[in-house]
Amino acid sequence: MGIATESQQENKAPSESTAAEKKRWSLNDFDIGKPLGRGKFGHVYVAREKKSSQIVALKVLFKEQLKQSQVEHQLRREVEIQSHLRHPNILRLYGYFYDQKRVYLILEYAAKGELYKQLQNCKYFSERRAATYVASLARALIYCHGKHVIHRDIKPENLLVGAQGELKIADFGWSVHTFNRRRTMCGTLDYLPPEMVESVEHDANVDIWSLGVLCYEFLYGVPPFEAKEHSDTYRRIIQVDLKFPPRPITSSAAKDLISRMLVKDSSQRLPLHKVLEHPWIIQNADPSGVYKC
Ligand code: AMP
């Protein structure tokens, strides 16, 4: 496949080719299977690339809807960023093509679907499971930040699960490739750090905050600053009104890690490599990076 070059067994591109011979894809290259889900701008199907027989997810987006919502620029950025990332915990974007009405994204297939649904089913995760996911995400974010990519929208809805139970960050719609500090407001309020809620400059440390929010949600089943009114969530975020409910019972080490990530001053948040060295991660995360249900 055109864009892919580095080979990783678990998410290798179908019909791998060299960068010099970039392939032009079309719908004829795929057998289309069952629908996997519906997004805001179109549908996602499981598909098989005919030449390699590799299973992929084909995301079909309607140009008209993209235009109406003025997200064409965002989509271009998402494709540009995601297609260049190669990490076991980041969903591969192998390539794209389009016809008159639609844009097609060729994505790595995440066989176990959305993490969000699994969290809804379980209500909350065990510490072992939560720590394994947090460690995977920390490693993926270290990789992204090393390439000057900030995700800015880490939340359960944007996480998929691969066939082995490995977490995959999907949806780079709000990500930016940056060397500078940013001021743009984006993402869902619940996961946003104070500096983004207040629209002041922000940098890669925004992802540490979101990881803290996510760690809390894995363990308690709800995000930490949830409130009925938007304005209350806003206030709770900027005051860092962090409370740990008595149930489910959670270790003090887990609370310690969350408290070190959810720090208002972004420069004082626990750096991601230190997250990986935190005793709660060391004691609980599965070293294979995979949580098997
Ligand atoms: P989206 O448009 O990205 O929100 O996708 C809609 C739904 O399709 C998601 O909620 C998933 O259930 C499913 N889906 C999207 N991408 C994939 C993928 N790469 N592998 C498996 N399922 C996916």
Side-chain angles (χ1 to χ4, degrees), residues 36-39 44 57 59 91 107-110 114 160:
L36 290 169
R38 255 183 106 145
V44 184
K59 193 183 240 190
L91 195 82
L107 293 160
E108 179 184 357
Y109 173 53
E114 290 172 73
L160 294 171

Side-chain angles (χ1 to χ4, degrees), residues 8 56 95 143 293:
Q8 268 170 333
V56 296
Y143 169 83
C293 292

Side-chain angles (χ1 to χ4, degrees), residues 21-70:
E21 35 161 316
K22 275 191 181 174
K23 178 170 166 50
R24 281 181 183 275
W25 294 99
S26 81
L27 210 47
N28 287 332
D29 293 310
F30 300 91
D31 291 318
I32 308 297
K34 66 166 184 174
L36 290 169
R38 255 183 106 145
K40 200 171 163 207
F41 302 107
H43 306 256
V44 184
Y45 300 91
V46 70
R48 186 174 47 217
E49 200 257 330
K50 288 178 185 168
K51 208 167 144 205
S52 65
S53 292
Q54 189 174 328
I55 301 296
V56 296
L58 202 62
K59 193 183 240 190
V60 185
L61 305 160
F62 291 93
K63 283 183 177 173
E64 196 51 47
Q65 288 176 24
L66 296 169
K67 217 173 184 175
Q68 268 173 18
S69 308
Q70 298 180 312

Side-chain angles (χ1 to χ4, degrees), residues 54-120:
Q54 189 174 328
I55 301 296
V56 296
L58 202 62
K59 193 183 240 190
V60 185
L61 305 160
F62 291 93
K63 283 183 177 173
E64 196 51 47
Q65 288 176 24
L66 296 169
K67 217 173 184 175
Q68 268 173 18
S69 308
Q70 298 180 312
V71 291
E72 300 132 296
H73 176 72
Q74 196 178 316
L75 178 68
R76 264 194 213 106
R77 191 161 63 181
E78 178 176 359
V79 168
E80 172 61 24
I81 289 176
Q82 202 175 343
S83 62
H84 286 95
L85 299 175
R86 305 275 188 280
H87 188 277
N89 299 112
I90 296 174
L91 195 82
R92 280 287 303 271
L93 172 63
Y94 298 124
Y96 69 94
F97 55 96
Y98 48 87
D99 57 25
Q100 258 196 322
K101 292 206 166 138
R102 291 164 282 244
V103 179
Y104 303 83
L105 302 184
I106 313 164
L107 293 160
E108 179 184 357
Y109 173 53
K112 291 195 174 151
E114 290 172 73
L115 185 74
Y116 180 70
K117 284 201 184 127
Q118 297 191 10
L119 187 58
Q120 272 188 326

